[in-house]
């Protein structure tokens, strides 16, 4: 999953929480994200572009640092 912005992506199916770890070390936990959105993010050529267009500003989130 090479990306200049995203280091790691994880998804909790039971709770529908998408975890995105950025190269900067910042971690975002996006809530109530449908599984299909996670699958599309994984398949996206540009993870950062997909996040900006389809996830940021759409789903509630919490953030923290590693």
């Amino acid at each position: 999953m090479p990306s200049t912005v995203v280091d790691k992506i994880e998804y909790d199916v039971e709770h529908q929480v998408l975890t995105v770890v950025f190269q900067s070390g910042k971690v975002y936990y996006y809530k109530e994200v449908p599984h299909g959105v996670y699958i599309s993010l994984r398949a996206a050529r540009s993870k950062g572009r997909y996040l900006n267009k389809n996830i940021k500003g759409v789903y509630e989130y919490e953030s923290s640092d590693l």
Side-chain angles (χ1 to χ4, degrees):
M1 189 206 76
S3 172
T4 58
V5 176
V6 177
D7 183 42
K8 185 165 64 167
I9 300 169
E10 295 177 351
Y11 185 72
D12 180 334
V13 175
E14 183 178 345
H15 297 102
Q16 291 188 305
V17 174
L18 174 67
T19 302
V20 180
V21 181
F22 290 89
Q23 295 288 351
S24 66
K26 198 80 169 165
V27 182
Y28 283 76
Y29 305 94
Y30 293 96
K31 304 173 183 180
E32 298 182 27
V33 177
H35 188 255
V37 173
Y38 163 70
I39 296 298
S40 295
L41 173 60
R42 296 287 305 185
R45 185 170 180 204
S46 170
K47 309 298 188 249
R49 197 171 299 136
Y50 186 90
L51 275 165
N52 287 333
K53 184 176 180 184
N54 301 288
I55 297 173
K56 289 182 178 180
V58 176
Y59 300 99
E60 284 188 43
Y61 69 90
E62 293 180 11
S63 64
S64 67
D65 292 315
L66 280 179

